[in-house]
Amino acid sequence: MSNKTSRRNFLKAGVAAGAGLVATRAGAEGDPKITSVQKWAQELGDGVDHLPYGAPSRFEADTVRRNVPWLTADPISAINFTPIHQLDGIITPNGVCFERHHGGVARYDPADHRLMINGLVDQELIFTMADLMRFPRENHVYFLECSANTGMEWRGPQMDGVQYTHGMIHNVMYTGIPLRLLLKEAGVKTSGKWLLAEGADSSGLTRSIPMEKALDDCLVAFKMNGEALRPENGYPLRLVVPGWEGVSWIKWLRRLEVGDKPWHQREETSKYTDLMADGTSRRFTWEMDAKSVITSPSPQMPITHGPGQTVITGLAWSGHGTIPQVDITLDGGINWHKARMDGPSLDKSLHRFYYDFVWDGKPLLLQSRAHDSTGYIQPTKDALRDLRGASSTYHNNGIQTWAVNAEGITDNVEIS
Amino acid sequence: MSNKTSRRNFLKAGVAAGAGLVATRAGAEGDPKITSVQKWAQELGDGVDHLPYGAPSRFEADTVRRNVPWLTADPISAINFTPIHQLDGIITPNGVCFERHHGGVARYDPADHRLMINGLVDQELIFTMADLMRFPRENHVYFLECSANTGMEWRGPQMDGVQYTHGMIHNVMYTGIPLRLLLKEAGVKTSGKWLLAEGADSSGLTRSIPMEKALDDCLVAFKMNGEALRPENGYPLRLVVPGWEGVSWIKWLRRLEVGDKPWHQREETSKYTDLMADGTSRRFTWEMDAKSVITSPSPQMPITHGPGQTVITGLAWSGHGTIPQVDITLDGGINWHKARMDGPSLDKSLHRFYYDFVWDGKPLLLQSRAHDSTGYIQPTKDALRDLRGASSTYHNNGIQTWAVNAEGITDNVEIS
């Protein structure tokens, strides 16, 4: 078509001009994909009995969680990463949800599972899964982010892809029982100010949670995205602690002990604390502050189509609420533009943003900056280092920079 | 604990009394699951390298789509059903999304796929998948329901389970390009009033869609729940027609032809029309009216725990908007109670409802009745038959009845 036509139509459509160039004039090349009857239109495909439980196309085989055994002492106790560079929208499919475990994936029959509530309660209780199915349920879409997400970037760009810099996160709809209902069944004594959540896996992962949070919005969850929790995400039962670092979301949840003070367990003392410049550590830094990142383009998703209409997209989230605004810069922070927020804006959930523009083919320095519903604005990495020094690992919510060259190749960089 | 305590706590929790009975007094039975260290706490579990793309627990092997080959002439052209009785929340996991196809699942390389726009346009265009990735995208959670859903129930209760009476439906977050943007690229002539959408599968499924709907909220979608469409759901490209019967949501979308009148293809004449009592047929009955169903208890999900605190849950939806209210009856319509709506209320999306009550162990006649945002109220099956006779198949949105006996066994029944 002529640019004039396409531009006119495109402006009508209320989006940036340029995409009119993005198509082939029908017949102009006699595209065999169109002018011939394709093979898949000449033969019957697979029947519905093919896969009672479905799987992705074989052409999507690279949309998988990547395991990085070098990150921990033993691959049995490791991490893999959500392929956020390949995903869109805000829902993470269960098959590629980030997982982290300290003793491997405990796999057992839910009929054998029990949840115990003990400690400072009127009556210690034991629940079977069948017992729990009789309590009122709620459904919420929440992000789960490991507080070590982006941790490798504290001392400068290291990881070659947004899956590794920001992929310790997933966002699903959880179905669960408000924790306060179960605690009220047991009857929390007035001296009960803290909760110890314990997992049934071999690491016996335990975390202290203040009673105020436990009685607020925590869930004892048994489903994610409609179906049972996946084994690596705590099947059959996990604690959901909205907006808080993922390590508190105890998987394979077997016990909730009510006490009058925190327990100071390994995973809240020697680990998951923030080493400050003066050698002391910040503790109990539970809430995940507002953060955003451009997922495409990114090192794993270069721009391959050359100049012209281009889609920039990414994710933003906050443990303190929603994300009303994300700013985008193409020039390393000289000029900022409001991104287009799209899809449902839910409390403590991932938000999807887009920036549709016409790329002139010149190098880009891309950044995104999130504003959350409390007014907090995502800081630069230098601002975080000024506050907490260079030796920290956890809670790095600094602004990420991608450098895009004239060929569309994208690198993880930092600008000061 | 004593009922008194539990009642006090339960009322504090603001829910129906009775769940206080639902637990075991810790130690009372010396439950070996608690008093001993379980085997899964004594051994390392699977590592994260176990499944790069995850799968459900082996203990969830019955949460699958059920294929019913008897429903169509050949199993290659058949249907399977979402296991809605086992799901919760509103998101359908991609692995169990209802599927229906007329020539089997077309499987091919997206690099070979093309989308053509031809007919009454200023410029006929051909798009590759790479071309389409340069257009602005939107994300919406929409239900897709086959207009034949519940069709077998027109002449009375037949199917032994909600998966079969109401499982021709799924609800996912779609990512796609507003169809109007692609049509504007081609430039629709003023004489262009209708659109023909054509699939690339061997059935060459085609449907006529009025231009008004095409320019309103239709999407050309390439992702569901964040990842690429599944092959059985149209990979790599499908048309999303919000609120309209599923057959219009053309899968493996290869062509959009603009014309001045409908095409009267097979799937909109001999099929997907409603045979009326006088022998004529209703045509172009595209929109799915408000509907609801209790998914648990249901014939596949009997009440197994006996009297006491019980959760009733189900789904409601409307092609005309949202669902502000669902009513529940326990006695076949003598008394109605407002259900608790839970989770996000999104336009043309499934809604989840609950009714938490204390079952006295006496037989129940369960029904749910949806009210949509237009004020429309879900009708009885008899009311539908009075309007359209007894020979129809499609668009059965009548109220469903489940009979629960004293043992909790649940049957598909009808009351007049």
Side-chain angles (χ1 to χ4, degrees):
Chain A
M1 80 197 75
S2 72
N3 286 339
K4 185 160 159 299
T5 305
S6 96
R7 187 171 299 274
R8 192 193 70 235
N9 291 333
F10 217 82
L11 293 173
K12 260 200 258 161
V15 298
L21 304 170
V22 183
T24 304
R25 197 175 283 100
E29 298 168 357
D31 187 327
K33 305 302 180 194
I34 291 293
T35 55
S36 67
V37 177
Q38 292 125 314
K39 67 178 186 309
W40 49 81
Q42 302 180 50
E43 60 197 24
L44 287 177
D46 295 324
V48 292
D49 54 347
H50 180 65
L51 287 174
Y53 192 96
S57 163
R58 61 189 174 89
F59 297 106
E60 299 296 320
D62 63 342
T63 302
V64 290
R65 299 178 289 203
R66 301 293 182 189
N67 176 27
V68 288
W70 48 258
L71 192 59
T72 51
D74 189 309
I76 203 72
S77 172
I79 291 173
N80 64 19
F81 296 81
T82 302
I84 54 175
H85 59 296
Q86 291 160 312
L87 304 181
D88 212 320
I90 66 169
I91 297 294
T92 313
N94 290 345
V96 292
C97 282
F98 154 72
E99 61 176 307
R100 165 73 169 131
H101 24 83
H102 298 241
V105 177
R107 296 177 185 273
Y108 52 86
D109 190 334
D112 289 342
H113 191 64
R114 299 291 185 274
L115 173 64
M116 181 178 190
I117 299 180
N118 69 329
L120 299 176
V121 292
D122 297 338
Q123 177 60 63
E124 298 186 332
L125 296 174
I126 296 169
F127 301 89
T128 63
M129 289 302 292
D131 292 338
L132 294 172
M133 292 308 103
R134 301 173 67 172
F135 282 83
R137 307 164 197 170
E138 291 182 6
N139 297 280
H140 299 274
V141 177
Y142 291 130
F143 75 83
L144 176 151
E145 182 182 18
C146 178
S147 52
N149 198 23
T150 322
M152 281 81 71
E153 304 293 301
W154 256 112
R155 283 160 289 285
Q158 282 197 49
M159 306 297 282
D160 190 27
V162 72
Q163 181 174 16
Y164 308 113
T165 58
H166 291 77
M168 293 186 197
I169 192 166
H170 56 69
N171 198 66
V172 304
M173 174 170 282
Y174 291 97
T175 304
I177 304 155
L179 176 55
R180 65 179 174 280
L181 295 185
L182 299 179
L183 291 174
K184 284 172 186 291
E185 283 301 291
V188 175
K189 295 184 185 298
T190 54
S191 55
K193 302 302 182 189
W194 286 79
L195 194 69
L196 183 76
E198 177 185 83
D201 62 318
S202 60
S203 78
L205 191 65
T206 45
R207 289 275 296 192
S208 301
I209 297 169
M211 188 58 63
E212 184 181 15
K213 179 67 173 177
L215 295 176
D216 177 14
D217 58 359
C218 290
L219 299 176
V220 173
F222 48 91
K223 288 189 187 291
M224 57 195 289
N225 290 336
E227 66 184 359
L229 295 174
R230 292 296 178 87
E232 62 271 28
N233 293 112
Y235 179 80
L237 211 58
R238 97 175 293 170
L239 191 62
V240 168
V241 191
W244 286 30
E245 56 188 3
V247 67
S248 293
W249 298 45
I250 297 296
K251 298 190 284 191
W252 314 291
L253 182 67
R254 70 169 252 147
R255 195 167 66 92
L256 295 164
E257 181 177 343
V258 177
D260 58 2
K261 62 180 90 62
W263 279 258
H264 308 299
Q265 301 280 13
R266 173 179 183 276
E267 306 297 343
E268 54 198 3
T269 52
S270 81
K271 305 296 179 188
Y272 300 97
T273 55
D274 304 313
L275 182 58
M276 307 295 280
D278 64 2
T280 64
S281 287
R282 295 197 313 168
R283 292 197 55 194
F284 297 146
T285 48
W286 300 300
E287 286 166 307
M288 302 307 291
D289 290 328
K291 188 168 175 178
S292 70
V293 68
I294 292 170
T295 53
S296 180
S298 62
Q300 295 160 290
M301 293 288 281
I303 302 176
T304 56
H305 54 61
Q309 181 65 21
T310 302
V311 174
I312 291 175
T313 188
L315 296 165
W317 60 95
S318 170
H320 300 275
T322 59
I323 301 290
Q325 181 181 333
V326 172
D327 307 320
I328 297 290
T329 181
L330 306 177
D331 53 21
I334 299 167
N335 300 289
W336 291 91
H337 317 276
K338 271 193 186 181
R340 172 172 60 91
M341 306 305 294
D342 184 82
S345 174
L346 303 171
D347 184 51
K348 302 178 177 67
S349 166
L350 293 187
H351 289 58
R352 172 65 55 176
F353 65 83
Y354 297 101
Y355 185 68
D356 308 296
F357 78 114
V358 179
W359 183 37
D360 59 11
K362 296 197 178 70
L364 303 166
L365 276 177
L366 299 178
Q367 298 178 329
S368 64
R369 181 176 64 190
H371 303 240
D372 78 12
S373 48
T374 70
Y376 174 93
I377 300 175
Q378 182 180 4
T380 64
K381 290 177 180 175
D382 284 341
L384 286 174
R385 295 188 188 107
D386 291 345
L387 284 170
R388 287 155 47 194
S391 302
S392 202
T393 297
Y394 304 99
H395 300 285
N396 179 358
N397 67 318
I399 290 171
Q400 174 67 45
T401 310
W402 303 125
V404 181
N405 73 10
E407 286 67 49
I409 296 165
T410 303
D411 291 318
N412 177 5
V413 303
E414 202 169 321
I415 49 178
S416 294
Chain B
M1 76 196 73
S2 72
N3 286 338
K4 185 159 157 299
T5 307
S6 96
R7 187 171 299 273
R8 192 193 70 236
N9 290 333
F10 218 81
L11 292 174
K12 260 200 259 161
V15 299
L21 304 169
V22 183
T24 304
R25 196 176 283 100
E29 298 169 357
D31 186 330
K33 305 301 181 193
I34 292 292
T35 55
S36 68
V37 178
Q38 292 124 313
K39 66 180 186 310
W40 50 82
Q42 302 179 52
E43 61 197 25
L44 287 176
D46 294 324
V48 293
D49 54 347
H50 179 64
L51 287 174
Y53 192 95
S57 162
R58 62 189 173 88
F59 296 106
E60 299 296 318
D62 64 343
T63 301
V64 291
R65 299 177 287 204
R66 301 293 181 189
N67 176 25
V68 288
W70 47 259
L71 193 58
T72 50
D74 188 310
I76 203 75
S77 172
I79 291 172
N80 64 19
F81 297 81
T82 301
I84 54 175
H85 59 297
Q86 291 160 312
L87 304 181
D88 212 320
I90 65 168
I91 297 295
T92 312
N94 290 348
V96 292
C97 282
F98 154 72
E99 61 177 306
R100 165 74 170 131
H101 25 82
H102 298 241
V105 177
R107 297 178 183 272
Y108 52 87
D109 189 333
D112 289 342
H113 190 63
R114 299 292 185 274
L115 173 64
M116 181 178 191
I117 300 180
N118 68 327
L120 300 175
V121 293
D122 297 339
Q123 177 60 63
E124 299 187 332
L125 296 175
I126 296 170
F127 301 90
T128 64
M129 290 301 294
D131 292 337
L132 294 172
M133 292 306 105
R134 301 174 68 173
F135 282 83
R137 307 165 197 168
E138 292 183 5
N139 297 280
H140 299 275
V141 178
Y142 290 129
F143 75 83
L144 176 152
E145 182 182 18
C146 178
S147 52
N149 199 23
T150 322
M152 283 82 70
E153 304 292 301
W154 255 112
R155 284 159 290 285
Q158 283 197 51
M159 305 298 282
D160 190 27
V162 73
Q163 181 174 16
Y164 308 112
T165 58
H166 291 77
M168 293 186 198
I169 192 166
H170 56 68
N171 199 65
V172 304
M173 175 170 281
Y174 292 97
T175 303
I177 303 154
L179 176 56
R180 65 180 173 279
L181 295 185
L182 299 179
L183 290 174
K184 286 171 186 290
E185 282 302 290
V188 175
K189 295 183 185 299
T190 52
S191 55
K193 300 303 182 189
W194 287 79
L195 195 68
L196 182 75
E198 177 185 82
D201 62 318
S202 60
S203 78
L205 192 64
T206 44
R207 289 275 296 192
S208 301
I209 297 170
M211 189 58 64
E212 184 182 14
K213 179 68 173 177
L215 295 176
D216 177 16
D217 59 359
C218 291
L219 299 175
V220 173
F222 48 90
K223 288 189 187 293
M224 56 194 290
N225 289 337
E227 66 184 357
L229 295 174
R230 292 298 178 86
E232 63 271 29
N233 293 112
Y235 179 79
L237 211 58
R238 99 174 292 171
L239 190 63
V240 168
V241 191
W244 286 30
E245 56 188 5
V247 67
S248 292
W249 298 44
I250 297 296
K251 299 190 284 192
W252 314 292
L253 182 67
R254 72 169 251 146
R255 194 167 67 91
L256 295 165
E257 181 177 344
V258 177
D260 58 2
K261 61 178 91 62
W263 279 258
H264 309 299
Q265 302 279 15
R266 173 178 182 276
E267 305 297 344
E268 55 198 3
T269 52
S270 81
K271 305 296 180 189
Y272 300 97
T273 54
D274 305 311
L275 181 58
M276 306 297 279
D278 64 2
T280 63
S281 287
R282 294 198 312 169
R283 291 196 56 192
F284 297 148
T285 49
W286 301 301
E287 286 166 306
M288 303 306 291
D289 291 327
K291 189 169 174 179
S292 71
V293 69
I294 292 169
T295 54
S296 179
S298 62
Q300 295 160 289
M301 293 288 280
I303 302 175
T304 56
H305 55 59
Q309 180 67 20
T310 302
V311 174
I312 291 175
T313 188
L315 296 165
W317 60 95
S318 171
H320 300 277
T322 59
I323 302 290
Q325 181 181 333
V326 173
D327 307 320
I328 297 289
T329 180
L330 307 177
D331 52 21
I334 300 166
N335 300 289
W336 290 93
H337 317 276
K338 272 193 187 181
R340 172 171 60 90
M341 305 305 295
D342 184 82
S345 175
L346 303 171
D347 185 51
K348 301 178 177 66
S349 166
L350 293 188
H351 289 58
R352 173 65 57 176
F353 66 82
Y354 297 100
Y355 185 69
D356 307 296
F357 78 113
V358 179
W359 183 39
D360 60 10
K362 296 197 179 70
L364 303 167
L365 276 178
L366 300 178
Q367 298 179 328
S368 64
R369 182 176 63 191
H371 302 239
D372 78 12
S373 48
T374 70
Y376 174 93
I377 300 176
Q378 182 180 4
T380 65
K381 290 177 181 174
D382 284 340
L384 286 174
R385 294 187 189 108
D386 292 344
L387 284 171
R388 288 156 45 194
S391 303
S392 202
T393 297
Y394 304 100
H395 300 284
N396 179 358
N397 67 318
I399 290 172
Q400 174 68 45
T401 310
W402 304 125
V404 182
N405 73 11
E407 286 67 50
I409 296 165
T410 304
D411 291 317
N412 178 6
V413 301
E414 200 169 323
I415 48 179
S416 294

